Amino acid sequence: MSDSQVVVHGAAEGAHHEHLPYQRHHFETYAQQSDATNFAMWLFLLTEVMFFGGLFTAYLIYRNWYYPAFVEASHQLDIRWGTANTAVLIISSFTMAMGVWSAEMKKKGALVFFLVLTFILGLAFLGIKTIEYKEKIEKNHVPGFHYSIQSFLNPSSDPEVHAKNPEDKPLPYDMARHTEIYFFLYFAMTGMHALHMIIGIAILGFMIFRARADAYTTGHVTFVENFGLYWHFVDIIWIYLFPLLYLISRH
Amino acid sequence: MSAPHDKDFESIEEHEHHHHVVPPRIYITILLTLLVFTAATVGASYIDLGPLNPVIALAIAATKMILVVLFFMHVKYSTKLTKLTVGAGLFTFLVLVGMTLSDYWTRAWGRW
């Protein structure tokens, strides 16, 4: 680490006196450096789009095949938790965008404030998700050996959900078994999304310490900016998960 | 190599060109719009519109995504390279998903 810094320093003294201290020696200008980093971040996000795209495609195909199972299984989700989490994530995207703005304006206090807010909202999202997962675990709606199709063979055995969806008919055994695919995809998609949130929250924690040490408020905002792109991307995944899992099968 | 003062001028100009700072006013507008769209999509899910329900939900989701990408993710103010990358990525994604789904949904065509 210290070796490379010496080299950069030497090169900078040779020809480029005007270089900013955070400009790497292999870039002509700082603008070129931030463009290249931004481009790289977008390429990474596109691989993420393709990754989640596979899950979304699988969901749409199975929903089309086993439509009655997917409709009744999705009635197990509580639209209020889903809506609350959508609002939490959208607000956290806003606080993250304000964090990027604070870094650009070199406002250290505001940057730390918005990063902490984003961190808390991220935890709130995971907290709500935990409540939802806990309910699925209690009802044995987690795919596996203990998976129970009772709620779908006999909807009135699940009074809370049945009261909200009185038109739900008992499913034939074969179709009821396919609800397990719905929950498999539900856990795969929201679980992958939650994993991205956990990684994001860990990086946010690191950034809060670095921001307090003035790392992002001296003109070099690339890290905050690119993390912002990641956080907004995770928000966009949820923007699609919410209608697909919670909303479109209500009738 | 140009004279030092030319280069300084050029780098300052480029710097300003690439670092368009989006004002908080825009972020607040986008936040409120996204929350309104969220309320709209939840409201629409309570009305039975038959096959239109998923269409409306996904159209609202796409609108929200476009707002996030353009403003929160700064693509509206980015270089042509970024715009092209995002556009090409979205296009490739739609081709892959569209082709896969049209295959699955037409396999039993005319046999039901």
Side-chain angles (χ1 to χ4, degrees), chain A residues 16-41:
Chain A
H16 310 285
H17 278 288
E18 74 280 11
H19 276 184
L20 300 161
Y22 39 80
Q23 184 185 323
R24 301 299 173 106
H25 68 280
H26 48 281
F27 290 110
E28 281 281 321
T29 59
Y30 179 65
Q32 185 194 40
Q33 176 179 324
S34 54
D35 278 357
T37 331
N38 185 256
F39 178 53
M41 191 64 202

Side-chain angles (χ1 to χ4, degrees), chain A residues 18 30-31 34-35 38-39 42-43 45-46 49-50 53 57 60-61 64-65 79 83 86 90-91 93-94 97-98 100-101 104-105 221 229 232-233 236 239-240 242-244 247-248 250-251, chain B residues 7-8 15 18-19 21-22 24 27-28 31 34 38 41-42 45-48 53-54 57-58 61-62 64-65 68-69 72-75 79 81-82 85-86 89 93 96-97 100-101 104-105:
Chain A
E18 74 280 11
Y30 179 65
S34 54
D35 278 357
N38 185 256
F39 178 53
W42 272 106
L43 287 185
L45 290 184
L46 290 188
V49 169
M50 297 305 160
T57 308
L60 289 174
I61 290 170
N64 191 52
W65 277 352
I79 191 170
T83 309
T86 307
I90 285 174
I91 296 168
S93 251
F94 165 75
M98 288 303 293
V100 173
W101 175 80
E104 281 166 338
M105 302 302 282
V221 299
L229 291 181
H232 299 312
F233 161 78
I236 288 174
I239 283 176
Y240 279 97
F242 175 53
L244 286 177
L247 297 182
I248 61 174
R250 292 177 53 79
H251 297 287
Chain B
K7 205 168 179 212
D8 281 346
H15 191 78
H18 285 288
H19 275 268
V21 176
V22 184
Y27 289 146
I28 292 168
L31 167 70
L34 289 173
T38 303
T41 193
V42 172
S45 79
Y46 279 92
I47 308 163
D48 192 352
N53 272 114
L58 286 176
K64 284 162 80 180
M65 172 192 72
V68 171
V69 167
F72 281 178
M73 296 171 100
H74 301 162
V75 169
T79 56
L81 174 67
T82 303
T85 308
V86 176
F93 174 79
L96 287 173
V97 175
T100 310
L101 290 183
Y104 276 103
W105 287 351

Side-chain angles (χ1 to χ4, degrees), chain A residues 160-213:
Chain A
E160 208 186 316
V161 173
H162 192 56
K164 279 187 228 159
N165 305 280
E167 74 283 8
D168 278 2
K169 304 266 181 304
L171 291 175
Y173 182 75
D174 267 8
M175 191 51 86
R177 278 183 50 204
H178 292 315
T179 56
E180 195 170 0
I181 299 177
Y182 173 87
F183 283 108
F184 174 78
L185 286 165
Y186 167 81
F187 280 106
M189 293 163 98
T190 59
M192 265 305 151
H193 179 265
L195 178 64
H196 279 77
M197 295 285 300
I198 292 167
I199 293 169
I201 289 168
I203 298 173
L204 268 171
F206 164 78
M207 281 167 66
I208 291 167
F209 279 101
R210 296 282 292 140
R212 284 162 58 97

Side-chain angles (χ1 to χ4, degrees), chain A residues 35-235:
Chain A
D35 278 357
T37 331
N38 185 256
F39 178 53
M41 191 64 202
W42 272 106
L43 287 185
F44 165 67
L45 290 184
L46 290 188
T47 68
E48 291 269 76
V49 169
M50 297 305 160
F51 169 67
F52 277 100
L55 289 170
F56 281 115
T57 308
Y59 179 81
L60 289 174
I61 290 170
Y62 279 114
R63 183 176 185 272
N64 191 52
W65 277 352
Y66 307 131
Y67 183 72
F70 270 54
V71 168
E72 290 207 12
S74 83
H75 290 167
Q76 292 287 328
L77 305 194
D78 192 330
I79 191 170
R80 290 166 299 180
W81 287 130
T83 309
N85 253 353
T86 307
V88 166
L89 258 201
I90 285 174
I91 296 168
S92 87
S93 251
F94 165 75
T95 56
M96 190 59 227
M98 288 303 293
V100 173
W101 175 80
S102 312
E104 281 166 338
M105 302 302 282
K106 304 185 180 177
K107 295 173 191 285
K108 186 176 140 189
L111 172 62
V112 173
F113 172 73
F114 283 118
L115 290 179
V116 169
L117 268 186
T118 312
F119 184 88
I120 293 170
L121 289 165
L123 287 179
F125 178 91
L126 290 178
I128 292 176
K129 208 76 224 144
T130 310
I131 296 171
E132 292 188 273
Y133 278 7
K134 193 165 166 276
E135 193 189 286
K136 308 276 174 304
I137 293 166
E138 281 166 359
K139 283 181 152 183
N140 284 323
H141 283 162
V142 183
F145 290 124
H146 301 292
Y147 185 76
S148 161
I149 55 175
Q150 200 50 45
S151 310
F152 312 107
L153 286 179
N154 179 15
S156 52
S157 70
D158 194 345
E160 208 186 316
V161 173
H162 192 56
K164 279 187 228 159
N165 305 280
E167 74 283 8
D168 278 2
K169 304 266 181 304
L171 291 175
Y173 182 75
D174 267 8
M175 191 51 86
R177 278 183 50 204
H178 292 315
T179 56
E180 195 170 0
I181 299 177
Y182 173 87
F183 283 108
F184 174 78
L185 286 165
Y186 167 81
F187 280 106
M189 293 163 98
T190 59
M192 265 305 151
H193 179 265
L195 178 64
H196 279 77
M197 295 285 300
I198 292 167
I199 293 169
I201 289 168
I203 298 173
L204 268 171
F206 164 78
M207 281 167 66
I208 291 167
F209 279 101
R210 296 282 292 140
R212 284 162 58 97
D214 241 346
Y216 310 120
T217 33
T218 51
H220 187 40
V221 299
T222 306
F223 194 89
V224 182
E225 217 168 58
N226 282 343
F227 176 79
L229 291 181
Y230 173 83
W231 194 257
H232 299 312
F233 161 78
V234 176
D235 184 25

